[in-house]
Amino acid sequence: MDSYFVGRYSDTGLTALSIIYPLQLLMIALAVGTGVGINTLMAHFMGVGEPEKSRETAGTGALLAFVMWVLFAGVCWCIMPGYARMSTDSPAVAQDVVTYGRIVCVCSFGLFFESIWTKVLQAGGAMKLPMAAQIVGALVNIVLDPILIFGIGPVPELGIAGAAIATVLGQCAAACIVMPRGFRKSPPLSAYRRYVPRIYQVGFPNILMQTAYTFYILGLNLILKGFSDQAVTALGLYYKWQTFFFIPLGAMQTCIVPVLSYNFGAGLYARCRRTLRDAVLMGLALMALGTISFALFPEQLLAVFTQDLQVIRIGSYGFRVIGVSFLPMVLSLIFPVFFQAIGAPVRSSLLTVLRTVVLFVPLGWLLSRFGLHAFWFTFPLTELVTTAVGMLFYRQWRRKLPACLLCLQIGSKRCIISRCVSVWYT
């Protein structure tokens, strides 16, 4: 919605939002990745029958959120002007980047606290309250956007700064909703040495995955800057539209983490496999809609945000090519989450690094040497290679499963571990 209203306010503001997007992803990476670490560790302790440790893990969340916010806000305030100059040659766009970026980064405390408390609730299966919080936060943002951007009634016209203020107020509203049930009493400070390393050991793959998104999008923006600001804007608009498909996919990834962690901790490996299978099938169904939308209606999607004919021309071709990558992308995104949840962070991290560091930017730079049209094929090629490596890792994991599960695979009802058989057939 920020992009929708800012696009009607100024073209420079729309480009600025595309440039600041990687920093917003970095902020989300720290907040959500830490929350996932807390969420997964809580579920693990519940799965092995240690509820007190699960409660203490949840209690570390508020302090961790506060520390992350302070560090992130301070760094972003200092680097924002340099980041703007690096990302664009336009003084007007650079000024909008600094204005919007400093507000959304320095006032991001709502996002950090809401992310942690949401994951605490989700670890216990409470999904409705976080959903309500997200809806309220989005509505607050949507309602305030036109009021603060254009100025309505006694409210002055704030332009792109108004869009940033609306964003952070929406985040604060969501945080206030989840706080009463998501906040947990902090354990003694001595306990942090036991829990924090384990939280980040589990959450690091998620943080790495999200942080890698930040750097690969920044890298792709810098590559496209060599063609035109309109090419940067087109890529930014792609990330706006793909959110409608990636948020449900990301939500499913978030939900399967505690399910996988709980069952893996309890030794119920068959349930882990079935959870992965169901997640992949639902993800493919969802992303098929994305492929159809990007292939058939790219001009209409772009026209929602901009009337710049060059942006629409560049984006229409790019949308059609990128849309092909949506189906293999399901596996390339779910496999890292799967390995993270079952306690294989190295494989999870390797898949993330392969996708976002080894492939995306180097491949994008290489293909850009053949022109802007060739650049867009970076996306399907990257997803296909990552999916192939993920399948290889998964097959290696399956070969290491306990022998009793092999009995189940061939239909035998006799097994030396009766619990596995009873759970499977139940």
Side-chain angles (χ1 to χ4, degrees):
M1 295 308 300
D2 282 349
S3 298
Y4 176 82
F5 288 113
V6 169
R8 278 151 177 72
Y9 184 80
S10 72
D11 289 334
T12 60
L14 189 59
T15 303
L17 263 62
S18 298
I19 292 173
I20 209 68
Y21 184 62
L23 289 184
Q24 291 179 292
L25 281 180
L26 180 58
M27 177 168 54
I28 293 170
L30 294 173
V32 175
T34 302
V36 168
I38 293 172
N39 173 295
T40 306
L41 194 58
M42 288 177 62
H44 172 77
F45 283 135
M46 288 189 285
V48 297
E50 297 180 332
E52 182 59 32
K53 289 185 178 180
S54 180
R55 285 191 292 269
E56 289 186 341
T57 301
T60 65
L63 181 58
L64 291 177
F66 177 78
V67 171
M68 286 188 296
W69 165 61
V70 170
L71 293 175
F72 189 85
V75 171
C76 285
W77 177 270
C78 296
I79 70 168
M80 198 61 66
Y83 174 76
R85 290 192 298 269
M86 178 186 69
S87 303
T88 180
D89 296 324
S90 168
V93 173
Q95 182 57 48
D96 284 345
V97 170
V98 173
T99 300
Y100 185 88
R102 278 183 164 172
I103 294 173
V104 297
C105 294
V106 174
C107 301
S108 58
F109 50 87
L111 182 143
F112 280 101
F113 284 103
E114 183 271 332
S115 297
I116 296 296
W117 291 331
T118 288
K119 294 298 180 289
V120 169
L121 291 172
Q122 289 174 341
M127 301 294 179
K128 292 182 180 179
L129 185 62
M131 178 185 69
Q134 289 292 314
I135 292 172
V136 171
L139 291 176
V140 169
N141 192 354
I142 292 169
V143 170
L144 291 180
D145 262 332
I147 296 174
L148 298 178
I149 293 173
F150 300 103
I152 297 177
V155 179
E157 178 183 322
L158 298 177
I160 194 168
I165 294 171
T167 296
V168 297
L169 289 177
Q171 294 167 356
C172 290
C176 290
I177 291 174
V178 296
M179 179 180 67
R181 290 183 56 191
F183 176 79
R184 297 290 189 275
K185 181 181 177 181
S186 175
L189 291 179
S190 59
Y192 281 77
R193 287 194 292 179
R194 294 197 305 270
Y195 295 118
V196 171
R198 296 190 65 180
I199 288 170
Y200 283 102
Q201 180 184 9
V202 176
F204 178 75
N206 190 277
I207 294 175
L208 177 63
M209 183 166 55
Q210 295 286 346
T211 302
Y213 292 164
T214 297
F215 289 107
Y216 96 68
I217 294 174
L218 174 60
L220 295 182
N221 280 345
L222 294 176
I223 293 170
L224 291 176
K225 174 190 170 185
F227 292 101
S228 66
D229 279 348
Q230 286 81 3
V232 176
T233 302
L235 180 64
L237 295 182
Y238 156 70
Y239 284 112
K240 304 301 179 186
W241 273 116
Q242 60 117 45
T243 303
F244 286 94
F245 303 98
F246 277 63
I247 283 181
L249 182 63
M252 183 174 63
Q253 289 175 293
T254 300
C255 292
I256 67 173
V257 166
V259 175
L260 289 168
S261 181
Y262 178 93
N263 285 289
F264 189 81
L268 306 179
Y269 307 113
R271 284 185 174 177
C272 294
R273 293 173 47 223
R274 291 160 59 192
T275 300
L276 175 65
R277 179 200 63 193
D278 293 346
V280 169
L281 291 176
M282 289 187 288
L284 289 173
L286 171 68
M287 298 307 283
L289 295 176
T291 299
I292 294 171
S293 300
F294 275 68
L296 299 182
F297 311 111
E299 294 88 355
Q300 292 86 340
L301 296 177
L302 289 158
V304 171
F305 293 104
T306 181
Q307 299 303 314
D308 188 318
L309 295 180
Q310 189 174 358
V311 172
I312 294 176
R313 179 183 61 81
I314 294 172
S316 296
Y317 182 86
F319 275 30
R320 289 191 173 97
V321 175
I322 294 174
V324 176
S325 68
F326 278 16
L327 294 179
M329 195 184 300
V330 173
L331 285 164
S332 71
L333 292 179
I334 286 183
F335 273 134
V337 173
F338 174 81
F339 288 118
Q340 172 191 350
I342 65 171
V346 173
R347 291 185 180 183
S348 177
S349 299
L350 284 175
L351 288 173
T352 299
V353 170
L354 172 68
R355 180 175 183 266
T356 55
V357 178
V358 176
L359 292 176
F360 253 121
V361 176
L363 191 57
W365 178 85
L366 178 63
L367 292 177
S368 71
R369 302 299 94 188
F370 300 95
L372 182 57
H373 279 45
F375 166 83
W376 301 111
F377 286 91
T378 301
F379 290 83
L381 290 175
T382 296
E383 305 303 347
L384 286 171
V385 173
T386 307
T387 296
V389 176
M391 289 293 297
L392 176 64
F393 285 171
Y394 179 68
R395 291 185 65 181
Q396 291 174 344
W397 174 79
R398 282 194 59 178
R399 284 198 293 266
K400 294 180 181 180
L401 289 177
C404 62
L405 293 183
L406 299 177
C407 301
L408 297 174
Q409 292 177 23
I410 62 174
S412 172
K413 295 186 179 181
R414 299 187 64 184
C415 181
I416 59 173
I417 303 180
S418 60
R419 184 180 66 167
C420 292
V421 174
S422 64
V423 168
W424 177 275
Y425 286 100
T426 298

